[in-house]
Amino acid sequence: MNIHEYMAKNIFRTCNIKVPESYLARSPEEAYERAQLIGKPVVVKSQVLSGGRGKAGGILFADTPEEAKEKTAELFTKTIKEEKVTKVLIEEKVEDPISEYYITIILDRDAKKPLIMASTAGGMDIEQVAKESPEKIVKKYIEPLEEFMPYQARNIAFEMGVDTTEISAIGNIIWKLYQAYQEYDATVAEINPLIKTKTGFIAADAKMAIDDDSVFRHSKLKEMDEYKNSEFAYVPLDGNIAVIGNGAGLTLTGMDLIKHYGAKPATFLDVGGGASEEIITKAIDLVLRNPNVQVIWLNVLGGITRADDVANAIVNVSKEYGHKVPIVIRLTGTNEEEGQRILKEHGISFETSMEKAAQKAVSLINS
């Protein structure tokens, strides 16, 4: 089963492979909001399973959120190799790349082993490299019943002929990519290109295919598909504080405060203006399954959403999960006195100030 780029990059994030900041968008309006989140020039990338989307005009560039909205609308009119474009990835543009590399792990069914192929000729079709410069491709079979060690990955980087100062970093990425390949029962795991910038290495593109017979074991793939039932808007990020709010603007403001006080958000999760107790419980349950989350900040300003529903959801989650991950609560608005009373009865602390709640969340990370 081939999976889309945005899902492969979410897997890479869980395996600590650095990827550009990116958000999925299913409409031009969402693309505008996602580009605003990024706050710099972006790449608008059609999410299709067929290859060659760049040559087919499926990747466009935008300098502003308005332009991202226009480019998304343009892509939604396209069909790439018989696949209609229905969603795009809004991704920060990687500026000033110094060099590019290619790394792939593929199951060689004849050899019955994973094969790692790596090259300093990143950004090109590997078939073209194999035809024109086969000496640039390093090929190494991995024994599937033996542990693949970090030093073996560094040896591959050395054989690629990279600069000696890059061997450790590239070897580490090769090793992490193999961990992702194994953990998700992949038949393909690929980074092309792996880009070197002034600040380090980043996987600018991602490709994965999962063994069809193993899909039932990977419930995380459903979570990474961003809850298509549209109960709420969920985007995983690179930080460690999960931000949950009832409204896109409130959630974005909460994320800005987390950054202002020196930390990074792990999620954008908007439960919506009229979220029920059930939806709030599902939202908290979802972020608790994200291995990067160390603190949850639930930022609620009750309007249609009732504070007592929020409080009951928090109590239910606390009973089920205990103190697995600390939850910081900011709770005001409709029925706030009842909601705050429920929390007090169960010994759960809360804040009414958004700034104080954000500071508290960040302090828990730094303590």
Side-chain angles (χ1 to χ4, degrees), residues 15-303:
C15 296
N16 295 314
I17 297 173
K18 186 177 180 182
V19 297
E21 182 180 0
S22 58
Y23 304 92
L24 190 68
R26 292 189 171 90
S27 70
E29 291 73 24
E30 279 192 340
Y32 177 87
E33 293 174 1
R34 304 319 194 214
Q36 277 192 315
L37 276 177
I38 293 172
K40 59 179 70 171
V42 299
V43 188
V44 184
K45 308 171 81 173
S46 58
Q47 295 301 283
V48 294
L49 297 175
S50 53
R53 61 182 173 167
K55 295 178 181 178
I59 298 177
L60 303 175
F61 296 88
D63 291 328
T64 65
E66 291 80 6
E67 193 175 353
K69 181 179 179 179
E70 293 171 4
K71 300 294 185 181
T72 299
E74 178 182 340
L75 287 175
F76 281 177
T77 66
K78 293 188 175 183
T79 298
I80 298 175
K81 295 186 178 180
E82 300 184 356
E83 187 175 353
K84 177 72 174 174
V85 179
T86 60
K87 49 184 175 282
V88 297
L89 192 66
I90 305 298
E91 182 172 274
E92 68 170 304
K93 183 180 178 182
V94 179
E95 302 286 357
D96 303 321
I98 297 171
S99 51
E100 299 183 354
Y101 306 93
Y102 172 95
I103 303 169
T104 190
I105 305 169
I106 186 168
L107 176 62
D108 186 325
R109 297 188 184 277
D110 291 333
K112 298 182 175 62
K113 296 178 181 179
L115 172 64
I116 297 180
M117 294 188 290
S119 175
T120 54
M124 299 175 62
D125 292 334
I126 196 63
E127 293 83 2
Q128 181 182 348
V129 178
K131 181 178 179 180
E132 298 177 359
S133 306
E135 73 282 356
K136 290 185 178 180
I137 302 175
V138 175
K139 298 182 179 181
K140 289 292 178 182
Y141 282 104
I142 305 300
E143 294 298 329
L145 300 181
E146 297 178 5
E147 183 178 2
F148 180 58
M149 302 298 289
Y151 79 86
Q152 294 174 286
R154 291 194 294 271
N155 286 344
I156 293 173
F158 175 79
E159 291 187 36
M160 289 170 64
V162 302
D163 190 275
T164 54
T165 60
E166 300 175 353
I167 289 174
S168 179
I170 293 178
N172 189 37
I173 292 169
I174 293 172
W175 184 81
K176 288 177 179 177
L177 185 64
Y178 188 76
Q179 306 314 302
Y181 174 91
Q182 277 196 314
E183 182 178 349
Y184 285 87
D185 297 301
T187 56
V188 176
E190 178 178 294
I191 303 173
N192 185 31
L194 173 69
I195 292 179
K196 180 183 179 182
T197 69
K198 293 178 181 179
T199 58
F201 291 90
I202 189 165
D205 199 4
K207 178 181 178 181
M208 287 191 77
I210 310 299
D211 190 322
D212 289 335
D213 292 331
S214 75
V215 172
F216 73 95
R217 287 200 291 265
H218 301 295
S219 60
K220 289 182 181 178
L221 291 176
K222 293 182 181 179
E223 297 166 20
M224 291 175 182
D225 207 17
E226 297 204 84
Y227 271 55
K228 290 181 182 177
N229 58 17
S230 67
E231 287 179 325
F232 40 71
Y234 171 64
V235 182
L237 303 171
D238 293 333
N240 46 21
I241 298 178
V243 179
I244 303 174
N246 62 320
L250 186 67
T251 308
L252 291 173
T253 302
M255 294 169 64
D256 286 341
L257 281 172
I258 292 297
K259 290 182 178 180
H260 174 72
Y261 291 120
K264 294 178 66 177
T267 67
F268 167 90
L269 204 165
D270 170 20
V271 296
S276 65
E277 177 182 337
E278 180 184 5
I279 289 177
I280 293 168
T281 301
K282 285 184 178 181
I284 296 173
D285 175 73
L286 176 61
V287 299
L288 280 170
R289 290 186 238 165
N290 183 332
N292 295 329
V293 171
Q294 297 177 23
V295 174
I296 297 171
W297 178 24
L298 183 59
N299 182 23
V300 175
L301 174 59

